[in-house]
Amino acid sequence: MTTENAVINVGIAGYGNLGRGVETAMALNPDIRLAAVYTRREPNSVQTLNSDTLVKSWTDLTRGAEDLDVVILCGGSKEDLPVQGPEIAALYTTVDSFDTHAKIPDYFDRVDSAARNAGTTAVISTGWDPGLFSIARLYGEAVLPAGETYTFWGRGLSQGHSDAVRRVPGVANGVQYTIPSESALEAVRAGKRPSFTTREKHRRECWVVLDDSADAAAVEEAIVTMPDYFADYDTTVNFISAEELAANHSVMPHGGRVFRSGNTSDSHRDVVEFGLTLDNNPEFTASVLVAYARAAHRLAQNQQFGAKTVFDIPPGLLSPRSAADLRADLL
Amino acid sequence: MTTENAVINVGIAGYGNLGRGVETAMALNPDIRLAAVYTRREPNSVQTLNSDTLVKSWTDLTRGAEDLDVVILCGGSKEDLPVQGPEIAALYTTVDSFDTHAKIPDYFDRVDSAARNAGTTAVISTGWDPGLFSIARLYGEAVLPAGETYTFWGRGLSQGHSDAVRRVPGVANGVQYTIPSESALEAVRAGKRPSFTTREKHRRECWVVLDDSADAAAVEEAIVTMPDYFADYDTTVNFISAEELAANHSVMPHGGRVFRSGNTSDSHRDVVEFGLTLDNNPEFTASVLVAYARAAHRLAQNQQFGAKTVFDIPPGLLSPRSAADLRADLL
């Protein structure tokens, strides 16, 4: 497999938190060059982090004639990627962070078809979950086939649950943190293999700014009883001012831990643990996207066309270093 | 890449602790069939864990006509593998756990040449370090290029250091545990990026049975001042009876932790952690070898010949499950 290190021209499709994270991450990867940001907004209205970044219109991208080795798709999984994934993979090699777990098989098939027809490579569902956590689950299960896998998330700000809080009548603004149970986590780390209810694994913590006229008790009740999002968890609701929310809850930490706890024989047990502690969720996801952009380019160079996931990609393709260098230094 | 699940015929070359571990691990992998153990001893003299296991002579293996998809090389890195690796890779697809880090590049080249000439695949240096720890170092560095990597080993029984203890005059028997500094580990986990001296990262603990006439003080002095092995560490030497050694120090626990601590931007830091806690080092290493035997067979089926390391192998090839199943269930 070719791993020559010519500079890789990369475009960013979509410029929200994730797109800004990708712009930031590229600066740490000298073999990758940011060609342009593509936006559906008026390009002149977009303020990039780096004032040298070229901003172009979405139609420049979808004409299909841009000089891009890889396009990193930075749209959302709900509305953007289901359309953009197949559309852009029909034009360029792509990487995305599609994270609606239940819809991955369908998304894979649609992107795969577009990429195979076009002779491009489309790496889907990278990031950390799906992504690095998926890899940890797979290695864990493969090396310890007799065992149990556990995934804990947090402490971290959940975008989906924060959105749910903000939709409650009477809520002006708010965020939600997912917090793993320390005792559950320690039990798994110690090699026990408990069965957990949803409530036993994670709790949820909300920080809410009320509308002026809102009834705090009614808001709290609406949150903690909300099906799917909060009813199955121990949820605490804290009311704060807009100033406190801005001062103390405007960063986006996240992370979590994947465990595989298994037996190699009747008498011997092992625990495999993979953990992430992230100051800023979108920036880290972006860093993973950039590493997989390198891999996607190499796969495309080697005519490995179609949709790929992190399971299909040799780890070495993520690194700018040569295979010989990696063997000598990291193996 | 083909991932069909016909049964894979595997031979075990060498039957010490690691070979026994491989025999044990195969029972947990229904798609893998143990064809035979190959030994340089008299086959009739070898007692296998499973009395049904076929034991054959080394010359049966080296004739090159055995019906084997993969041979798992279970010899030692010092004397056995430098010879057996190229020799057996010229006859069969192989997997090994060659772990002399400094000699990996040379070993890779020699095995690669043998395997390419023969049209076989040779997966070298699997296990956990090199192996799963190497993978953790690579993913960490690739996704956080601005940062530091830390590897801690233990608490675990070190075979090399135990051998060094047992070579000291006056020592009848003994074992050595490598123990990571808890404070060093916590500093790294907390996102600090300290520079450690050798002494600050690990300490060494010896449990020694003296010869009848030995001078305890002289033995202790000889151990703690031994260059390379102990002089650079805080080492404690405990004298115990042969009975205590047998009762309390006859299992082989090991493990450790790999950290990547890095920045995604000036203001945001992340910590990636990979940890193993192993009751029995050879059994776990064997479990990794068996998963890579599956991958080696698939690579050979797809004519991916030559030497490979864990960096070259897509994670999905380690699992008996189909790519579609892995996407639906583990991604």
Side-chain angles (χ1 to χ4, degrees), chain B residues 110-181:
Chain B
R110 295 194 302 116
V111 172
D112 188 51
S113 169
R116 284 183 193 277
N117 287 337
T120 63
T121 304
V123 179
I124 71 158
S125 300
T126 71
W128 61 273
D129 196 356
L132 300 185
F133 271 22
S134 319
I135 293 168
R137 287 188 284 263
L138 193 154
Y139 278 117
E141 184 182 283
V143 302
L144 292 174
E148 294 290 336
T149 298
Y150 298 86
T151 303
F152 293 91
W153 294 275
R155 182 178 186 263
L157 190 143
S158 161
Q159 206 57 63
H161 285 78
S162 296
D163 288 344
V165 166
R166 289 189 289 257
R167 283 193 299 266
V168 170
V171 171
N173 204 349
V175 296
Q176 191 265 189
Y177 297 98
T178 306
I179 301 167
S181 157

Side-chain angles (χ1 to χ4, degrees), chain B residues 246-297:
Chain B
N248 302 327
H249 302 282
S250 58
V251 290
M252 287 169 280
H254 219 310
R257 306 224 155 229
V258 173
F259 292 90
R260 180 70 176 181
S261 180
N263 272 61
T264 50
S265 63
D266 287 346
S267 44
H268 295 132
R269 303 180 309 172
D270 304 305
V271 177
V272 182
E273 175 176 358
F274 180 74
L276 293 173
T277 307
L278 311 175
D279 268 2
N280 185 286
N281 186 359
E283 274 187 15
F284 185 78
T285 301
S287 294
V288 179
L289 281 165
V290 169
Y292 276 100
R294 181 181 293 119
H297 176 57

Side-chain angles (χ1 to χ4, degrees), chain A residues 130 134 137-138 141 143 257 264-265 268-271 273 275 277-279 283 287 311 315-316 321 330-331, chain B residues 130 134 137-138 141 143 257 264-265 268-271 273 275 277-279 283 287 311 315-316 321 330-331:
Chain A
S134 320
R137 288 188 284 260
L138 192 154
E141 184 182 282
V143 303
R257 305 222 157 230
T264 50
S265 62
H268 294 132
R269 302 180 311 173
D270 305 306
V271 177
E273 175 175 357
T277 307
L278 311 175
D279 268 4
E283 273 187 16
S287 294
F311 297 154
R321 302 166 76 177
L330 289 189
L331 197 62
Chain B
S134 319
R137 287 188 284 263
L138 193 154
E141 184 182 283
V143 302
R257 306 224 155 229
T264 50
S265 63
H268 295 132
R269 303 180 309 172
D270 304 305
V271 177
E273 175 176 358
T277 307
L278 311 175
D279 268 2
E283 274 187 15
S287 294
F311 297 154
R321 301 166 73 178
L330 289 190
L331 197 62

Side-chain angles (χ1 to χ4, degrees), chain B residues 3 13 57 69 76 102 107 146 229 263 275 328 331:
Chain B
T3 53
S57 72
D69 295 310
Y107 183 69
Y229 285 89
N263 272 61
L331 197 62

